[in-house]
Amino acid sequence: MAKKVLIIDDSVTQLSSLKIFFRRAGYEVEVAQNGVDGFVKVYKTAPDLIICDVLMPHLGGYQLCRLLKSNPETKQIPIIMLTVLDKKLDKFWASQSGANRFIQKDSDFQNIIQISDETIREFPVFQRYKDLLKTYDFDEEGIIFQINKILDDALMKSTITNEFRNLTDYTADDKITAEKIFKILSTIIEYDAACIYFHSPDNARKKRLIFDTQNCKLKEDVFLDIWRQILPDCVDDFEIETTKGKNSDNIIENTDEFQSRKEFDFYYENNLIGKVCFYSVQNIEWNKLKFMPTAKSELDLYLRLKFLYTKTCYLSITDELTKLYTRRHLESVLGQEFERAKRYGTIISVAMADIDNFKAVNDTYGHQAGDYVLREVSHIFTDTLRKTDFVYRYGGEEICILMPETCINNVIMPLERIRKNIENRDFVYNDSKINVTISIGATTYSKDMRLPSDLIEKSDMALYKAKKSGKNKVVVEDE
């Protein structure tokens, strides 16, 4: 069966010449002299190939090509553009149009036929696709409606894409990012409540679920139930926040009041990087929402960028060996907490810890064994302390602990627990058992302190006393 080509060109001369040569080559030929007429004939004739001039009145070649390639009903039909491509702007629009091939207008006709044959073989249009295309029937008003619908959809998708791309300015702030995302999603998706979770590579951070309540208010138990649904493996040590939603009298007291729910999980390199979940009191077929795929695709891309940004920030403040925070990060956080204690009278305690006889470990078992001990000791610190405490590698085998909102009496118990855990732990490296103990000195903020470094100095003095008095103990430096 002869392949069908649709030639669209406003030049009668060019159209006639192409028509003759394609017929001689064994093609069935259909023609149109403008973009709108060509658009209609795509539906009526279901061609195997479209050859389209770039410069045409009313609906240009690039516009027509983009229109056809954006429409699922016509996007499988290959398109060859006839163009001069002598300007940078021409090349840009050609690349954006979605055309399958580009041919210089002054090309030899045999070359055009050869490229057409190759294009049809590479991008075949199956008969069932053609048969379905011909079932669409619309009059002149319907044509304009169809064109406007496709253009409107393309504009909407482009707008959604641009809105998500603009989120990069807010990546560092989870709550503002969530508010911006919900603002975009609420314009294209009907929901009563939604929540979003951003995964952080920093395990010391509390996991946080941020909610947007569009047309309802949620009881506290509902927040907790949703948390258990979204992150069932994390039922402790989390926090819930809500964005600035609308005021509503519709109070949701139980998750059973939601008739439909849609959850999206986002992964990067097989690791969960985020979740988004929508809830509605109406029964909604989420998968049939027109712009849901576009929103999901853009959200997936953005969450990847956000995760990589967060990971980069985390690595910049994290010691590579121990995975503890760096001394540089300590200086920043300690300064903030010190000023807060000074201004508002809050409590802050600091502890300095040092592995006893660590040089002997390196000299006896080697530096790799020393690295092993340092890693394991660091893990004991982070596993024993609260998520609200900060643990830093201060230098060498020294570890600093920053404990906000903790008085000196409440510091001793967890530090003593760490000391015992290390003392009782079997450290084995290359079949060699290594005895490890640690000395710890601690202090708390007092009003006579003038600088954040005073806290470090006092805890260092307490550590010195612990070392001098026999090691493997906790000493508190107080007034």
Side-chain angles (χ1 to χ4, degrees):
M1 182 182 294
K3 296 297 182 182
K4 185 183 297 183
V5 60
L6 171 61
I7 306 170
I8 308 171
D9 198 319
D10 65 326
S11 169
V12 177
T13 304
Q14 179 86 350
L15 201 60
S16 300
S17 299
L18 287 171
K19 184 176 180 180
I20 292 170
F21 274 92
F22 270 98
R23 280 184 174 170
R24 286 178 181 174
Y27 278 83
E28 183 182 341
V29 181
E30 298 286 345
V31 295
Q33 284 190 260
N34 59 69
V36 175
D37 189 26
F39 182 80
V40 175
K41 287 209 170 176
V42 171
Y43 282 85
K44 289 185 176 180
T45 64
D48 296 283
L49 174 67
I50 298 170
I51 294 183
C52 182
D53 187 20
V54 169
L55 299 176
M56 294 187 296
H58 307 303
L59 188 64
Y62 292 144
Q63 294 171 310
L64 176 61
C65 183
R66 190 64 182 162
L67 195 63
L68 294 169
K69 289 298 183 179
S70 299
N71 187 359
E73 298 158 9
T74 56
K75 68 178 182 179
Q76 290 188 20
I77 302 173
I79 300 176
I80 295 177
M81 301 293 293
L82 295 176
T83 178
V84 288
L85 289 177
D86 62 346
K87 297 179 182 177
K88 287 186 177 181
L89 190 59
D90 286 333
K91 293 178 181 180
F92 170 76
W93 282 117
S95 66
Q96 296 298 308
S97 67
N100 301 86
R101 294 284 186 273
F102 301 96
I103 302 177
Q104 297 281 357
K105 289 198 75 170
D106 56 358
S107 292
D108 180 81
F109 282 113
Q110 290 302 325
N111 183 43
I112 295 176
I113 296 296
Q114 181 183 342
I115 293 174
S116 298
D117 291 342
E118 293 172 354
T119 304
I120 288 176
R121 284 196 297 269
E122 187 175 351
F123 305 99
V125 183
F126 297 106
Q127 189 61 45
R128 63 178 179 274
Y129 187 82
K130 296 181 185 180
D131 293 340
L132 180 62
L133 189 60
K134 290 180 180 179
T135 61
Y136 293 96
D137 185 24
F138 41 79
D139 54 21
E140 187 173 342
E141 289 186 2
I143 296 169
I144 302 301
F145 173 80
Q146 179 78 351
I147 292 174
N148 287 336
K149 177 178 174 294
I150 295 170
L151 291 174
D152 287 345
D153 286 354
L155 177 60
M156 187 65 179
K157 289 178 182 178
S158 175
T159 302
I160 293 171
T161 298
N162 289 336
E163 289 295 320
F164 272 102
R165 303 294 160 86
N166 291 336
L167 291 176
T168 52
D169 294 338
Y170 312 99
T171 300
D173 191 311
D174 284 358
K175 189 168 183 181
I176 293 178
T177 299
E179 289 176 350
K180 298 292 183 182
I181 289 175
F182 289 136
K183 185 176 180 181
I184 299 170
L185 295 177
S186 64
T187 61
I188 56 177
I189 300 171
E190 292 290 338
Y191 63 84
D192 294 298
C195 58
I196 191 166
Y197 164 70
F198 302 117
H199 179 70
S200 170
D202 186 355
N203 292 324
R205 286 183 59 182
K206 279 188 177 182
K207 288 183 168 50
R208 181 160 54 158
L209 203 57
I210 304 174
F211 281 83
D212 177 49
T213 50
Q214 284 290 314
N215 302 307
C216 63
K217 290 181 180 178
L218 306 183
K219 288 286 190 180
E220 184 175 350
D221 288 345
V222 177
F223 285 118
L224 298 177
D225 286 344
I226 290 176
W227 177 275
R228 296 185 189 102
Q229 292 173 4
I230 300 293
L231 295 167
D233 297 330
C234 179
V235 294
D236 303 315
D237 199 26
F238 61 85
E239 58 186 14
I240 289 171
E241 287 195 46
T242 57
T243 61
K244 298 175 182 178
K246 302 174 184 176
N247 292 323
S248 175
D249 296 328
N250 181 22
I251 299 175
I252 303 296
E253 298 184 353
N254 192 297
T255 51
D256 292 339
E257 295 179 44
F258 293 120
Q259 296 299 308
S260 55
R261 169 180 180 267
K262 183 64 178 178
E263 178 180 327
F264 293 107
D265 295 347
F266 299 92
Y267 289 87
Y268 179 69
E269 295 181 344
N270 297 321
N271 296 312
L272 180 70
I273 58 173
K275 284 176 174 269
V276 178
C277 197
F278 303 99
Y279 295 85
S280 175
V281 295
Q282 305 295 324
N283 192 7
I284 294 178
E285 295 185 73
W286 303 97
N287 292 329
K288 291 186 177 180
L289 296 179
K290 180 184 287 187
F291 298 108
M292 179 73 88
T294 302
K296 183 176 181 291
S297 176
E298 290 301 323
L299 193 53
D300 181 40
L301 176 60
Y302 175 73
L303 288 179
R304 291 186 184 204
L305 293 173
K306 179 173 172 57
F307 176 76
L308 291 173
Y309 170 83
T310 306
K311 187 175 182 180
T312 301
C313 293
Y314 169 67
L315 291 175
S316 71
I317 60 170
T318 307
D319 176 65
E320 185 176 357
L321 175 65
T322 63
K323 307 307 177 188
L324 301 179
Y325 292 126
T326 60
R327 182 169 177 172
R328 182 179 178 182
H329 186 245
L330 167 66
E331 293 170 356
S332 173
V333 177
L334 180 60
Q336 295 173 7
E337 292 295 332
F338 184 86
E339 289 302 319
R340 196 158 67 94
K342 195 171 182 180
R343 179 172 297 183
Y344 301 109
T346 56
I347 306 169
I348 177 174
S349 295
V350 172
M352 292 291 292
D354 185 83
I355 300 174
D356 298 326
N357 306 313
F358 188 70
K359 184 177 183 300
V361 173
N362 284 327
D363 292 344
T364 304
Y365 303 101
H367 286 280
Q368 289 186 336
D371 289 347
Y372 157 75
V373 168
L374 192 51
R375 279 196 303 269
E376 294 302 305
V377 166
S378 300
H379 293 161
I380 292 173
F381 269 88
T382 53
D383 290 344
T384 306
L385 293 169
R386 306 166 301 178
K387 293 284 187 184
T388 52
D389 299 326
F390 299 88
V391 188
Y392 303 87
R393 185 181 183 186
Y394 193 74
E397 69 275 19
E398 279 190 309
I399 294 173
C400 181
I401 308 99
L402 182 61
M403 308 174 78
E405 303 293 341
T406 309
C407 66
I408 198 66
N409 292 332
N410 293 335
V411 163
I412 297 173
M413 186 177 295
L415 294 181
E416 187 62 31
R417 189 181 303 119
I418 290 172
R419 186 196 67 77
K420 289 180 180 178
N421 288 344
I422 293 172
E423 182 184 29
N424 297 328
R425 171 73 177 272
D426 289 331
F427 293 85
V428 180
Y429 186 80
N430 286 346
D431 298 326
S432 297
K433 184 176 179 180
I434 306 173
N435 294 320
V436 179
T437 60
I438 197 162
S439 299
I440 305 174
T443 191
T444 194
Y445 170 79
S446 61
K447 292 181 179 179
D448 64 323
M449 292 181 177
R450 295 187 304 162
L451 299 170
S453 57
D454 293 341
L455 279 164
I456 300 294
E457 184 179 341
K458 284 229 170 187
S459 59
D460 234 355
M461 291 172 60
L463 174 60
Y464 177 78
K465 290 180 182 179
K467 291 283 190 182
K468 279 293 185 181
S469 59
K471 302 179 181 179
N472 190 24
K473 60 179 63 177
V474 177
V475 171
V476 173
E477 179 73 24
D478 55 25
E479 295 299 320

